[in-house]
Amino acid sequence: MSVREVVPVAMRLSWLVLFALMIGEFVTDLPGPGWATTFLPAMVVLALMVATTALQARAAAPRGEPGPPVEVDPPVTGRWSALNSPADKVPSHGTHVYGQTYAIDIVADPETAEGEHPARPAFRWLWPLFRRNHAFPAFGAPLFAVADATVVRASDGQRDHLSRNSLLGLVYLMLIEGNVRSIAGARRVIGNHVILDLGDGTYAAYAHVRRGSLRVKAGDTVRAGQRIGSVGNSGNSSEPHLHVHLMDSPDLDDARGIPFTWRGVGVPANGETFTVEERAAEAEERVAEARPGDVGGAG
């Protein structure tokens, strides 16, 4: 095993030792190790966390100048707004880990009539602390394959948690939940996800997918524009949204980011809204779902 692989394992083991010591000190009636003995493992855990983050970021950093952006189709339809865009900053999320150097977050931003309240709930400083996912227009929005591809990985068993779009919710996400998910590994950070092999050493990762929404499995082939799932709020996410990026490996712990551009859209900057026309197949599907009498027959 390489140093990059050994350090995260050592970090997780040190957490287990620390938890065991704390249980011995505060929960059981057995003689505990005492604060002095507990302090040393805590410092080891902290040092290993710092080392793990540094090693992952260094290993995932681009080597040399980035290649030209890979042009793919947008993964959604409708009106959306961009957050944490590589058009404004690289790495867009402040780190190279998990191949997300050129990642982008997007939230549904449907137009509303004059005088109506915005469809997407705004960030609140105090109340409500959390919101249910159905309050956000992105939740359940369809996701589409950005190109002809083969499904490498498809996982949608994690729950969709409440939003974290209040001050206390965001603090909880950044200081507690985010660190716990980071310790648990990439799968818990990106939540439910799909990874597509686009060919030529390029892979597309979709994160925070809705639980139980995937229509594909590993090994399936998909066509550009084919629906593969729905937007959710799983993993390290503050609200229902899509996180998507291109990378050079299907292994999130080993991948480096690849620049992208969306056909007909480009790379929207932070706060920029863009609209993608509904695909013909999506329109037909919506009509079929709304048409009464198609299921059950008259028998």
Side-chain angles (χ1 to χ4, degrees):
M1 296 178 70
S2 67
V3 174
R4 184 184 176 189
E5 295 171 316
V6 169
V7 172
V9 173
M11 180 187 68
R12 294 185 179 98
L13 289 175
S14 65
W15 269 108
L16 291 176
V17 172
L18 180 60
F19 286 145
L21 291 173
M22 293 177 66
I23 291 172
E25 179 72 18
F26 299 110
V27 178
T28 72
D29 58 357
L30 298 174
W35 279 105
T37 312
T38 309
F39 178 76
L40 180 59
M43 292 299 98
V44 172
V45 168
L46 180 60
L48 287 171
M49 287 181 65
V50 173
T52 299
T53 302
L55 284 171
Q56 288 178 328
R58 181 178 179 181
R63 294 178 178 174
E65 292 297 319
V70 175
E71 185 179 56
V72 294
D73 289 341
V76 295
T77 57
R79 188 173 185 266
W80 294 73
S81 180
L83 303 171
N84 300 318
S85 170
D88 293 271
K89 180 182 68 173
V90 175
S92 57
H93 286 59
T95 180
H96 297 289
V97 298
Y98 308 141
Q100 59 182 334
T101 301
Y102 304 98
I104 190 170
D105 294 332
I106 57 174
V107 292
D109 192 13
E111 291 184 294
T112 56
E114 186 176 352
E116 290 184 2
H117 293 292
R120 176 190 167 216
F123 177 86
R124 298 294 184 185
W125 288 101
L126 297 177
W127 192 262
L129 296 179
F130 309 104
R131 292 183 185 270
R132 296 191 179 278
N133 291 314
H134 288 286
F136 297 83
F139 189 68
L143 295 174
F144 303 96
V146 296
D148 295 346
T150 301
V151 180
V152 177
R153 193 174 304 158
S155 174
D156 68 351
Q158 299 181 53
R159 70 182 181 89
D160 294 287
H161 55 71
L162 298 174
S163 76
R164 312 289 192 237
N165 66 331
S166 68
L167 179 59
L168 289 179
L170 196 59
V171 168
Y172 166 74
L173 175 67
M174 296 178 65
L175 298 184
I176 300 177
E177 183 179 4
N179 285 322
V180 172
R181 290 186 181 278
S182 179
I183 293 167
R187 180 175 172 272
R188 290 297 178 181
V189 174
I190 68 173
N192 300 322
H193 60 281
V194 181
I195 297 178
L196 303 180
D197 181 355
L198 310 186
D200 297 325
T202 301
Y203 298 82
Y206 300 67
H208 314 309
V209 175
R210 184 176 182 177
R211 184 178 189 177
S213 72
L214 292 183
R215 300 185 175 191
V216 296
K217 62 183 183 301
D220 287 352
T221 57
V222 295
R223 303 291 294 177
Q226 178 179 331
R227 182 168 179 178
I228 58 176
S230 302
V231 176
N233 193 36
S234 56
N236 200 52
S237 171
S238 59
E239 67 174 87
H241 74 286
L242 172 63
H243 169 112
V244 63
H245 65 265
L246 301 186
M247 53 190 183
D248 66 358
S249 168
D251 182 357
L252 290 163
D253 289 318
D254 192 50
R256 290 184 175 83
I258 294 176
F260 76 92
T261 183
W262 285 333
R263 193 169 287 111
V265 175
V267 184
N270 289 342
E272 181 181 345
T273 58
F274 61 95
T275 301
V276 181
E277 294 299 323
E278 187 177 57
R279 295 167 171 85
E282 181 186 5
E284 291 175 4
E285 181 177 306
R286 290 182 184 275
V287 171
E289 290 176 349
R291 187 183 299 127
D294 285 352
V295 179

